[in-house]
Every structure is written in C-alpha cells, then in structure tokens.
Amino acid sequence: MNFSNKYVSAQVIHTPTATVACSASSQEKLLKPNLESTRDVAAAAKIGKLLGERLLLKGIPAVSIHMKREQKYHGKVKAVIDSVREAGVKLL
C-alpha cells in the first residue's frame, strides 16, 4: 500500500517470482471520475474493493499483508485491508 498527498495505490506481489500479481490505484483513468477525492479514506476503501475483485478474477483467493513499519492499522490502511476482506479475499 502506498499513500501520497494526491493518490492511493495498492499492489499484491507474488513473492517467489517478485512480480506484481494485481494492483489498483486512484490514478486510473476509469476510476478517477467516480471518486470525490483521490486521497481520502473513501478512496482507499474503493481501491481495496477493486483490488479484492481483481484478485478473485485472477484466481487468487488468499493474500498475506505486509505493512511498512510506520503504518498502523487505522485510517486508510484499515479501509484498504477491510475492503479487500469484504470483497471475499482471505487474509493470512
């Protein structure tokens, strides 16, 4: 998960091959018009939901969450993780 002053983005990385399995960002052209703000908690929740749906479409039913040391489980981080979980992806 990456949060800048303008955007929210999240990626799922396949560790053995070090490739991006799936990603979602508030910078995407199709998503931008549907967001009131591209950097708030609501945007983070939409990104999490979109990421969860994309994971299920690719056949990835479970992921492991690794947060940066300075990230706490609240606010935008919580919104992304909870939305991925609500989309049906199991968190390990």
Side-chain angles (χ1 to χ4, degrees):
M1 290 174 280
N2 186 28
F3 307 102
S4 69
N5 289 334
K6 291 186 179 183
Y7 302 107
V8 175
S9 63
Q11 295 178 334
V12 173
I13 298 173
H14 185 249
T15 306
T17 59
T19 59
V20 176
C22 196
S23 67
S25 174
S26 60
Q27 291 179 333
E28 294 177 19
K29 289 182 181 181
L30 294 175
L31 189 60
K32 253 185 180 180
N34 299 330
L35 297 173
E36 289 181 26
S37 173
T38 58
R39 63 181 182 186
D40 61 355
V41 175
K46 284 202 178 204
I47 295 302
K49 182 179 178 187
L50 182 63
L51 184 64
E53 291 170 356
R54 288 179 179 175
L55 285 167
L56 292 175
L57 285 174
K58 285 200 169 191
I60 302 172
V63 296
S64 178
I65 302 289
H66 294 284
M67 297 187 300
K68 296 176 185 173
R69 186 175 290 207
E70 66 271 3
Q71 288 179 331
K72 304 269 191 271
Y73 183 73
H74 67 82
K76 294 177 194 175
V77 174
K78 184 179 187 302
V80 171
I81 293 172
D82 289 347
S83 295
V84 169
R85 185 180 299 131
E86 289 171 7
V89 177
K90 191 174 182 179
L91 300 179
L92 304 175

